[in-house]
Amino acid sequence: MIALDLDNTTLRTDKSLSPRTKSALKKAQDQGIQVVISTGRVFSALPDAILEFDGIQYMINSNGAVITEFPQNEKIYTNYIEEESVSKIEAVLRRFDDPVEVFADGKAYADVSVLDELRLHGSNTRNVQYILWSRRPVKDVYDVLQKESTHIENVSITFESQEERLRVKKALLQIPDITVTSSERHCLEIGGKTTSKAEALRYLMQKLGIHREELMACGDSPNDEKMIRLAGIGVVMENGTESMKSIADFVTDTNDRDGVAKAVERFALHQVL
């Protein structure tokens, strides 16, 4: 099995799949290797480049909160935030004034006022085009958090300063039964007590009879850490964080220089590079 993070890993900066990556993954599939997407993205935010790639049977979304099986488009695994923890998360976040997004039932929600601000003024820390495309505008995102409290996949907060990010993280870490991670330096992402890409992969590997020694995982950020540690071969991108590269079994090239393809060719296809 090959488990792939998307942003800054499998996808190029322009959110496309390179021809070399497509070719390497197709060759791996032809050899009977499961190619599994393992992303922090909510299901509705998956790019066409992935949805149109033939042969992918399983998608792990929202940092491991959901696994969807194709082609029947069926949820076969969920690991949501506990309802009691949802109310505690809300109580903490209301003490601060940072933009909050809620992932529930395969969709991502954000305050319409936040999206209007991004549309008018842009951002130095966020991909505005992606956010405006992928987030559903609501009057008050906390209403979604309350109404969907039994199946919240993820809560994401964005920060303009690292000082504020650290303050909020410290407050969140006082809540038991949640996980706090990040896919970008300017954000925090909250999941359930055991929610992670690694836990979702453990379920999937048990279902398919695959051992950890037969798993290669590729990622770049802290939300990939448990997945990288789980894998028999943990691959981190050259553009990944220094802490992630320090735990890698192999550091490959950047996402814009076919890093995933090069790792697949080396470890799955056993090509001499």
Side-chain angles (χ1 to χ4, degrees), residues 41-246:
R41 290 191 184 213
V42 71
F43 185 85
S44 64
L46 289 170
D48 289 342
I50 295 301
L51 294 173
E52 295 170 358
F53 190 85
D54 290 337
I56 294 177
Q57 291 182 263
Y58 302 97
M59 299 272 190
I60 297 172
N61 291 99
S62 298
N63 287 334
V66 179
I67 303 176
T68 303
E69 182 175 3
F70 292 88
Q72 57 268 48
N73 200 21
E74 176 187 356
K75 290 181 184 177
I76 62 168
Y77 169 94
T78 58
N79 192 352
Y80 299 138
I81 303 172
E82 293 183 5
E83 188 172 8
E84 182 179 346
S85 298
V86 170
S87 62
K88 294 177 182 178
I89 292 166
E90 179 180 355
V92 168
L93 296 184
R94 282 188 179 276
R95 289 161 41 194
F96 301 91
D97 191 29
D98 305 292
V100 173
E101 298 172 352
V102 173
F103 294 5
D105 197 28
K107 305 174 187 67
Y109 299 89
D111 283 352
V112 64
S113 59
V114 171
L115 298 178
D116 286 345
E117 182 75 12
L118 284 173
R119 187 179 291 108
L120 288 172
H121 301 292
S123 172
N124 294 324
T125 58
R126 311 185 77 187
N127 183 326
V128 174
Q129 183 178 4
Y130 166 68
I131 295 298
L132 294 177
W133 166 73
S134 61
R135 273 45 175 171
R136 298 190 175 209
V138 292
K139 184 177 180 180
D140 186 350
V141 75
Y142 288 115
D143 287 343
V144 177
L145 198 64
Q146 294 164 6
K147 291 176 182 177
E148 307 292 343
S149 61
T150 58
H151 52 277
I152 298 295
E153 299 173 14
N154 187 278
V155 180
S156 178
I157 315 100
T158 305
F159 305 93
E160 291 297 324
S161 76
Q162 288 301 304
E163 292 79 6
E164 176 75 352
R165 182 178 181 272
L166 289 173
R167 282 193 292 270
V168 175
K169 184 175 183 179
K170 182 178 179 180
L172 287 170
L173 290 176
Q174 302 304 307
I175 303 174
D177 300 338
I178 66 168
T179 56
V180 182
T181 186
S182 62
S183 57
E184 299 281 354
R185 186 172 179 270
H186 61 269
C187 74
L188 291 173
E189 297 161 31
I190 308 168
K193 179 180 180 180
T194 62
T195 307
S196 72
K197 296 180 180 184
E199 283 299 308
L201 283 166
R202 284 191 183 97
Y203 171 88
L204 197 54
M205 289 190 294
Q206 184 175 15
K207 174 182 173 68
L208 300 176
I210 293 172
H211 302 288
R212 65 177 298 272
E213 294 79 10
E214 300 170 302
L215 172 68
M216 182 177 83
C218 300
D220 70 297
S221 295
N223 65 328
D224 300 313
E225 179 178 348
K226 292 180 180 179
M227 174 176 77
I228 296 299
R229 291 186 184 277
L230 172 69
I233 302 173
V235 177
V236 173
M237 313 304 292
E238 178 58 40
N239 53 280
T241 66
E242 291 304 314
S243 64
M244 287 297 296
K245 286 191 279 189
S246 73

Side-chain angles (χ1 to χ4, degrees), residues 1-4 25 28 33-37 214-216 218 264 268:
M1 179 182 288
I2 299 172
L4 299 172
L25 294 178
I33 297 172
Q34 284 280 353
V35 175
V36 176
I37 300 304
E214 300 170 302
L215 172 68
M216 182 177 83
C218 300
V264 171

Side-chain angles (χ1 to χ4, degrees), residues 1-51:
M1 179 182 288
I2 299 172
L4 299 172
D5 175 52
L6 288 182
D7 296 288
N8 302 314
T9 299
T10 307
L11 298 175
R12 295 186 287 194
T13 300
D14 65 4
K15 306 307 179 185
S16 67
L17 279 176
S18 74
R20 184 172 177 178
T21 298
K22 290 180 183 178
S23 176
L25 294 178
K26 182 67 173 93
K27 288 176 182 177
Q29 288 175 327
D30 289 346
Q31 293 187 14
I33 297 172
Q34 284 280 353
V35 175
V36 176
I37 300 304
S38 186
T39 179
R41 290 191 184 213
V42 71
F43 185 85
S44 64
L46 289 170
D48 289 342
I50 295 301
L51 294 173

